[in-house]
Amino acid sequence: MSGKKVTKRTLLGMKQKQEPIAMITAYDYPSARLAEEAGADILLVGDSLGMVVLGYDSTIPVTLDDILHHTKAVTRGAKKAMVIADLPFATAHLPEGEVLKSAARLMQEGLAYGVKMEGGIEIVDKVNRLTMAGIPVMGHLGLTPQSVNQLGGYVIQGKDLPAARRLLDAAQRLEEAGAFAIVLECVPEELAELVTQKVGIPVIGIGAGRHCDGQVLVYHDLLAMAGDFRPSFVKVYQDAGEVIRKGIAAYVQEVKERSFPAEKHVTHLKDELIHELYGSSEGETDQ
Ligand code: KIV
């Protein structure tokens, strides 16, 4: 990534030059800084926050205030990377004015570049309304985790002909409505490739094979910090969970055996002061 801020124009140029786009989720100041220093182009304050940070078992309980709080921290840590904030569960289906207000808060208070919205043709009018108001919108198709109960679980989408055609149509309609990029989650590689060819905007895949314009993974998944469950499309790049666990265990052990803090971690009073202090306390009597 160069020194310039990443914008939708940057991403479009990357698609046209076939330069892969690297996106990762981030939820706080340190994860944003680390991801940006590592070269990520886009930081997504995803509602996966609910599972990997807040301890829920789905994204459904995550609120706009949760996303806003974490977006503020991420934008403080990101100087160049584009920060996109997720609109939480059901927000895209609220009346137009409410959707607009929610998205505006993420940009005005959270300082996000734009928002991500899950859904297909049923949200196209809202995408259009937001983009008309100057809000950059990233679509999200395929497996949309906010609809997990409706979809019957975390299952691959677009596997039969009607479903594949619906998905392709939705991607084209989102582009027409003004979306500047689309996340495509858990669809067969061939379908993802076709969608990537048929739309002019960048398509960022997750569990969607090798031919999208970019890839996104959840921070805690690729660093093995999210417990034992991990979708099959995730690759673990470093076991940071193990590094952190070992570090904390060593600290706990040293505290228990009183080897931390050591001489180099403490400060001392001057000798004269020690004498005066001890001397004066010796002279004190209980009344
Ligand atoms: O919430 C999230 O982290 C996401 C990504 C998985 C794309 O939507």
Side-chain angles (χ1 to χ4, degrees), residues 25-38:
T25 62
Y27 311 98
D28 54 19
Y29 179 78
S31 58
R33 285 197 60 168
L34 291 171
E36 178 166 282
E37 283 163 18

Side-chain angles (χ1 to χ4, degrees), residues 232-270:
S232 60
F233 56 78
V234 168
K235 177 172 174 185
V236 171
Y237 285 84
Q238 288 286 335
D239 194 341
E242 185 57 11
V243 170
I244 293 170
R245 207 173 301 111
K246 274 194 187 151
I248 297 174
Y251 159 72
V252 169
Q253 191 184 337
E254 290 196 1
V255 169
K256 302 279 182 190
E257 64 192 26
R258 295 188 187 281
S259 60
F260 176 82
E263 175 59 28
K264 65 179 176 194
H265 304 119
V266 304
T267 52
H268 293 286
L269 279 175
K270 290 198 173 115

Side-chain angles (χ1 to χ4, degrees), residues 25 44 46-48 86 116 140 183 185 206 216 218:
T25 62
L44 171 66
D47 58 4
S48 50
D86 241 344
K116 178 166 79 59
H140 185 156
V183 165
E185 178 161 355
I206 173 162
V216 53
V218 168

